[in-house]
């Protein structure tokens, strides 16, 4: 298959959706991003990344960071993570507090905000917030093979200043003993990981190991054990898009994770990793044109975990 032609065709298939949806406005810096941006990147088995549109422009990865942070937390504490966070879809928005009360402060899964805070806490362990952030950044730099990956400090500050709901979630989780570090330190890791800026090209390359059982197919390096890679994919499929996860699985049929910066990272097992970006979101916080690009891509390729 000519993958360069594929990404170009998919971009033009979705052209009518350019600018559709609303960029996240509750993080003021994100509201200023040009809603007409659209990019797509497919990382293939040999490590080549095929790109079209604005695929080299860094954007705020937001919740895409939760996938890589989850991998690190599992490396740190293994199955003990599941004492503090569950593995079930939430059926609720990314920042919902409703279930937390009924379920005694144990977040439903690691891909909603409250669960991602537990993940940040596990990465911190006995160390500092700065060390945890450095670990997440180094992991992403290594995976994307790009040492320029960094945090947009203005986004991190904007998130922290407006982060009343995220603070409420974190204090709630902590009140039930599901955080071991001070809440503000855990939040400082969480806000900074969300504020990492990366391009579609970098993210597709970074996610490639998840499509190949935890091994980077181009370098042969084992990033994580195969069972862990499979389980991360399972969580992405069932929980990666909040209360839109069922719809995403139905339309696209691949494990994926959305972020309110407009990025979606998707894994086609045995084939490659795909990242799309367009800032306009649907009501559930998933990129509208991004989801259309992925839908067109699976229509053209037949890539699906349900084949
Ligand atoms: N930083 C965002 C928040 O915590 C992440 C949400 C998302 O990307 O879905 O509100």
């Amino acid at each position: 298959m000519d993958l360069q032609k594929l990404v170009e065709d998919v971009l033009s298939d979705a052209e009518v959706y350019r600018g559709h949806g609303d960029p996240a406005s509750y993080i003021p810096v994100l509201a200023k991003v040009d809603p007409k941006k659209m990019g797509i990147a497919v990382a293939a088995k040999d490590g080549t990344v095929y790109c079209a549109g604005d695929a080299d422009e860094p954007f705020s990865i937001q919740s895409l960071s939760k996938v890589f942070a989850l991998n690190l937390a599992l490396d740190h504490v293994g199955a003990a993570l599941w004492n503090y966070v569950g593995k079930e879809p939430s059926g609720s928005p990314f920042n919902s507090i409703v279930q937390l009360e009924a379920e005694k402060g144990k977040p439903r899964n690691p891909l909603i905000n409250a669960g991602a805070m537990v993940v940040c806490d596990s990465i911190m362990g006995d160390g500092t917030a700065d060390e945890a952030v450095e670990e997440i950044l180094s992991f992403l730099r290594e995976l994307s093979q790009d040492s320029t990956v960094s945090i947009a400090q203005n986004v991190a500050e904007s998130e922290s200043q407006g982060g009343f709901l995220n603070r409420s979630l974190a204090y709630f989780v902590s009140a039930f003993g599901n955080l071991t570090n001070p809440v503000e330190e855990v939040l400082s890791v969480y806000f900074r990981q969300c504020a990492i800026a990366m391009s579609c090209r970098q993210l597709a390359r970074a996610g490639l190991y998840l499509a190949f059982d935890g091994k980077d197919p181009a370098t042969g390096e084992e990033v994580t054990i195969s069972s862990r890679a499979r389980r991360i994919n399972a969580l992405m499929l069932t929980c990666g898009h909040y209360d839109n996860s069922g719809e995403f699985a139905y339309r696209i049929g691949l494990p994926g994770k959305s972020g309110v910066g407009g990025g979606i990272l998707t894994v086609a097992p045995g084939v490659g990793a795909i990242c799309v970006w367009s800032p306009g979101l649907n009501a559930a916080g998933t990129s509208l044109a991004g989801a259309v690009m992925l839908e067109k891509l699976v229509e053209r390729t037949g890539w699906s975990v349900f084949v």
Side-chain angles (χ1 to χ4, degrees):
M1 191 181 304
D2 182 343
L3 292 179
Q4 185 55 43
K5 182 169 178 334
L6 173 72
V7 289
E8 285 163 16
D9 287 348
V10 165
L11 189 75
S12 75
D13 286 348
E15 188 57 43
V16 287
Y17 290 91
R18 188 182 284 276
H20 284 217
D22 300 311
S25 56
Y26 73 101
I27 302 171
V29 184
L30 294 188
K32 293 190 189 132
V33 180
D34 178 358
K36 293 226 159 69
K37 297 280 180 182
M38 270 171 91
I40 177 168
V42 173
K45 190 173 181 179
D46 66 358
T48 308
V49 186
Y50 299 88
C51 293
D54 303 305
D56 280 306
E57 186 163 328
F59 61 89
S60 190
I61 72 170
Q62 293 293 317
S63 288
L64 307 188
S65 62
K66 291 172 181 166
V67 174
F68 301 100
L70 171 62
N71 196 151
L72 290 176
L74 287 168
D75 289 346
H76 276 258
V77 300
L81 182 70
W82 309 120
N83 295 329
Y84 304 99
V85 59
K87 313 182 193 80
E88 297 298 336
S90 66
S92 301
F94 59 93
N95 53 7
S96 171
I97 203 162
V98 187
Q99 277 166 348
L100 272 182
E101 180 166 23
E103 297 175 5
K104 302 204 170 7
K106 182 174 176 180
R108 270 285 171 104
N109 67 67
L111 300 180
I112 53 173
N113 290 12
M117 291 165 195
V118 171
V119 165
C120 290
D121 185 51
S122 298
I123 298 172
M124 262 182 87
D126 295 332
T128 66
D130 287 351
E131 282 164 359
V133 172
E134 202 43 52
E135 187 176 341
I136 297 165
L137 257 183
S138 308
F139 191 43
L140 285 170
R141 285 177 179 152
E142 202 180 304
L143 290 173
S144 62
Q145 301 184 327
D146 194 331
S147 60
T148 65
V149 171
S150 53
I151 296 169
Q153 291 300 342
N154 60 336
V155 176
E157 278 157 29
S158 184
E159 292 222 32
S160 181
Q161 275 160 15
F164 303 110
L165 200 43
N166 279 327
R167 268 199 180 81
S168 308
L169 292 170
Y171 278 100
F172 214 100
V173 173
S174 183
F176 284 93
N178 289 321
L179 292 181
T180 57
N181 285 291
V183 172
E184 287 299 329
E185 289 179 30
V186 174
L187 281 169
S188 93
V189 179
Y190 176 74
F191 290 138
R192 283 184 281 171
Q193 80 165 38
C194 287
I196 293 170
M198 288 175 77
S199 65
C200 291
R201 180 191 297 276
Q202 292 166 332
L203 281 158
R205 185 66 186 83
L208 190 57
Y209 77 101
L210 290 171
F212 291 91
D213 257 357
K215 208 183 242 184
D216 186 317
T219 64
E221 188 208 340
E222 185 179 77
V223 179
T224 196
I225 52 173
S226 60
S227 58
R228 184 159 295 158
R230 288 181 200 183
R231 287 167 175 163
I232 293 170
N233 287 339
L235 287 163
M236 287 170 83
L237 186 78
T238 52
C239 312
H241 310 272
Y242 316 117
D243 46 346
N244 215 211
S245 299
E247 169 86 7
F248 190 88
Y250 182 87
R251 282 173 63 193
I252 287 136
L254 293 170
K257 180 76 203 85
S258 58
V260 297
I264 309 176
L265 176 64
T266 312
V267 174
V271 178
I274 309 118
C275 183
V276 292
W277 172 54
S278 188
L281 309 177
N282 69 12
T286 299
S287 171
L288 203 150
V292 173
M293 283 189 267
L294 290 169
E295 203 169 26
K296 300 293 180 191
L297 178 128
V298 300
E299 264 171 39
R300 283 178 176 272
T301 59
W303 297 346
S304 166
V305 293
F306 301 110
V307 173

